[in-house]
Amino acid sequence: MWMSLAIAGMLYALGQVLFGRFEVKTPPARRLRKPVVFFGVTALLAAWVGDWALVWVLGAMGAGLGFHLTWCRLNRVHPLSAEPKERYYRLRGWSL
């Protein structure tokens, strides 16, 4: 179980470094809920199916990355820098 959680934690940290700027004005409760659910499901699966929990980890992150890249392309927002900021903030309903 610990290996699955460690790998999930490393991948989650990498995702935060690369894509954290997309969550700048997201409320703290929502930003906390995402890792709690992700690591909770990972721990439950690791206890139940063992190392096969990594399929969940890689699948969830792959699906999230695919959605992110598609959404950014459709809305003409750069997928790593969230630019142009004005367009991205308008899409999210945030004020500059």
Side-chain angles (χ1 to χ4, degrees), residues 37-58:
V37 169
F38 178 71
F39 289 115
V41 170
T42 302
L44 288 173
L45 284 173
W48 187 41
V49 296
D51 288 337
W52 282 96
L54 292 176
V55 172
W56 150 256
V57 171
L58 296 175

Side-chain angles (χ1 to χ4, degrees), residues 7-63:
I7 291 170
M10 288 186 287
L11 291 173
Y12 189 83
L14 178 65
Q16 286 299 311
V17 168
L18 293 176
F19 303 111
R21 63 182 47 89
F22 286 89
E23 299 292 330
V24 173
K25 292 190 175 189
T26 302
R30 186 170 177 194
R31 286 191 313 216
L32 286 172
R33 187 175 40 226
K34 188 186 330 182
V36 167
V37 169
F38 178 71
F39 289 115
V41 170
T42 302
L44 288 173
L45 284 173
W48 187 41
V49 296
D51 288 337
W52 282 96
L54 292 176
V55 172
W56 150 256
V57 171
L58 296 175
M61 292 199 166

